[in-house]
């Protein structure tokens, strides 16, 4: 593995290039871009999948989203769908400029929110020849749901806009957290949802904690997400072979199980498959050996057949 970077507009996007064993710079390799979840970074679950795919002979590029992790960008800790999607196109630009990459054999794998962004990018980024998601989630849907009341989304947007006005008048940017910042804070909230509980366990403990994933979110940046739909036009523009992987265990608030089936039903792809990993929760498919092994077995077959 070596650290690299590529440009998105005027800033550098930080990435790790995972290389197959015995890598020969004079050769030609299929490549896969691996996108991390929302609030995550390239060293977490994205690295787990990138390493395993590199072991299968792929050049894998795992990157930090713009404004997050070690990447630059216009501000810090933004969750802006347009910028997130553009990162994928710029990542492809980087790969096709490498002599050792076969430009006709580039795929993409996105995890959680990175899966939704990967799907959205692939609709217009035709250099992706195969698309895969692991617990892929639609960030726009998550934003709009709130407490499952349409009025909650409107109330949230009004608050965001009030903060935007304050910042336009000179206030400091408002930074919040994606999830409770510790087990103690989680217990104080009384939240029992499996996705939130396991997110805290993953991101705030030794299990998955990384400096590039500080659980910080620019509040104003979330405004655009309410009008975003990761799967919009998938019935018209998503034609590449598609592999969806979801957990068959307890479903949580992030909704990746239902998003997976919605995407499967909607995608225009003639070749598409959905794998339900029995008993696995959303976060089991981030790093737990048995469920990740089952996901990887399917990804091995999928990418071998389509790249």
């Amino acid at each position: 593995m070596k650290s690299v970077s590529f440009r998105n507009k005027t800033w550098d996007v930080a990435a790790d290039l995972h290389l197959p064993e015995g890598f020969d710079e004079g050769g030609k390799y299929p490549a896969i871009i691996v996108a991390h979840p929302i609030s995550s970074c390239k060293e977490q679950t994205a690295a787990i999948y990138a390493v395993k795919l590199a072991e299968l002979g792929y050049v894998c590029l795992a990157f930090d989203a713009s404004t997050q992790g070690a990447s630059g960008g216009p501000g810090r800790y933004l969750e802006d769908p347009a910028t997130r999607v553009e990162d994928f196109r710029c990542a492809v630009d980087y790969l096709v400029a490498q002599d050792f990459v076969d430009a006709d054999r580039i795929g993409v794998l996105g995890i959680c929110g990175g899966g939704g962004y990967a799907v959205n990018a692939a609709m217009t980024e035709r250099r992706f020849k195969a698309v895969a998601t692991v617990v892929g989630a639609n960030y726009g849907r998550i934003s709009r749901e709130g407490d499952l009341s349409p009025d909650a989304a409107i109330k949230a947007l009004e608050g965001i806009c009030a903060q935007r006005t304050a910042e336009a008048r000179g206030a400091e940017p408002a930074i919040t957290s994606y999830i409770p910042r510790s087990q103690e804070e989680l217990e104080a909230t009384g939240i029992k949802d499996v996705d939130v509980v396991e997110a805290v366990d993953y991101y705030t403990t030794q299990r998955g904690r990384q400096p590039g994933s500080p659980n910080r979110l620019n509040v104003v940046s979330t405004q655009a997400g309410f009008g975003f739909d990761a799967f919009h036009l998938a019935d018209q523009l998503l034609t590449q072979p598609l592999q969806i992987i979801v957990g068959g265990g307890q479903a949580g608030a992030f909704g990746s199980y239902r998003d997976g089936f919605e995407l499967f039903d909607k995608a225009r792809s003639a070749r598409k498959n959905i794998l339900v990993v029995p008993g696995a929760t959303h976060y089991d498919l981030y790093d737990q050996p048995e469920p990740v092994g089952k996901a990887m077995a399917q990804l091995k077959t999928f990418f071998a057949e389509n790249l």
Side-chain angles (χ1 to χ4, degrees), residues 97-167:
Q98 310 307 310
D99 291 339
F100 53 82
V101 170
D102 185 339
D104 294 322
R105 299 173 67 197
I106 297 176
V108 63
L109 167 65
I111 305 158
C112 187
Y117 290 132
V119 165
N120 194 267
M123 292 186 216
T124 53
E125 182 47 82
R126 309 308 300 180
R127 293 175 293 181
F128 285 136
K129 305 305 182 186
V131 180
T133 66
V134 173
V135 294
N138 184 344
Y139 174 62
R141 178 200 50 77
I142 296 170
S143 299
R144 287 185 293 274
E145 279 189 352
D147 63 357
L148 303 182
S149 164
D151 289 341
I154 298 302
K155 184 177 180 180
L157 282 166
E158 288 173 348
I160 292 166
C161 289
Q163 178 61 33
R164 186 165 187 147
T165 294
E167 292 180 20

Side-chain angles (χ1 to χ4, degrees), residues 5-14 64-80 83-84 86-87 90 218 221:
S5 65
F6 56 87
R7 299 287 282 177
N8 184 338
K9 299 182 176 68
T10 60
W11 61 86
D12 288 334
V13 176
D64 283 334
S66 291
T67 80
Q68 301 175 26
S71 290
R76 293 303 297 160
Y77 315 124
L78 275 62
E79 193 59 55
D80 175 59
T83 304
R84 288 290 304 259
E86 182 64 17
D87 283 340
C90 297
N218 180 294
S221 78

Side-chain angles (χ1 to χ4, degrees), residues 40-281:
S40 188
C41 65
K42 63 185 182 298
E43 291 84 6
Q44 293 172 322
T45 184
I48 291 174
Y49 282 92
V51 166
K52 292 181 181 299
L53 288 166
E55 290 171 354
L56 297 177
Y58 300 96
V59 167
C60 291
L61 184 71
F63 65 90
D64 283 334
S66 291
T67 80
Q68 301 175 26
S71 290
R76 293 303 297 160
Y77 315 124
L78 275 62
E79 193 59 55
D80 175 59
T83 304
R84 288 290 304 259
V85 170
E86 182 64 17
D87 283 340
F88 287 86
R89 302 186 184 109
C90 297
V92 180
D93 290 342
Y94 170 82
L95 286 177
V96 298
Q98 310 307 310
D99 291 339
F100 53 82
V101 170
D102 185 339
D104 294 322
R105 299 173 67 197
I106 297 176
V108 63
L109 167 65
I111 305 158
C112 187
Y117 290 132
V119 165
N120 194 267
M123 292 186 216
T124 53
E125 182 47 82
R126 309 308 300 180
R127 293 175 293 181
F128 285 136
K129 305 305 182 186
V131 180
T133 66
V134 173
V135 294
N138 184 344
Y139 174 62
R141 178 200 50 77
I142 296 170
S143 299
R144 287 185 293 274
E145 279 189 352
D147 63 357
L148 303 182
S149 164
D151 289 341
I154 298 302
K155 184 177 180 180
L157 282 166
E158 288 173 348
I160 292 166
C161 289
Q163 178 61 33
R164 186 165 187 147
T165 294
E167 292 180 20
R169 293 171 176 169
E172 290 296 312
I175 305 296
T176 188
S177 61
Y178 288 91
I179 57 173
R181 290 166 288 189
S182 65
Q183 296 285 349
E184 294 74 20
E185 189 172 296
L186 172 66
E187 291 174 7
T189 68
I191 296 172
K192 302 296 184 183
D193 177 80
V194 63
D195 283 353
V196 179
V197 169
E198 292 192 359
V200 172
D201 183 62
Y202 180 80
Y203 284 113
T204 72
T205 72
Q206 287 298 108
R207 175 183 170 189
R209 184 168 52 207
Q210 287 286 340
S213 175
N215 190 22
R216 305 191 74 191
L217 173 64
N218 180 294
V219 172
V220 168
S221 78
T222 64
Q223 182 181 17
F226 285 81
F228 174 71
D229 180 358
F231 305 153
H232 178 55
L233 299 180
D235 55 333
Q236 298 180 46
L237 299 179
L238 186 62
T239 61
Q240 297 98 320
L242 174 65
Q243 176 64 61
I244 300 165
I245 299 173
V246 297
Q250 184 180 356
F254 298 163
S256 59
Y257 182 87
R258 83 185 214 215
D259 281 348
F261 279 92
E262 178 185 337
L263 176 60
F264 179 80
D265 291 339
K266 192 170 187 179
R268 186 180 170 189
S269 306
R271 300 186 67 183
K272 56 184 176 180
N273 176 267
I274 186 163
L275 171 69
V276 179
V277 180
T281 63

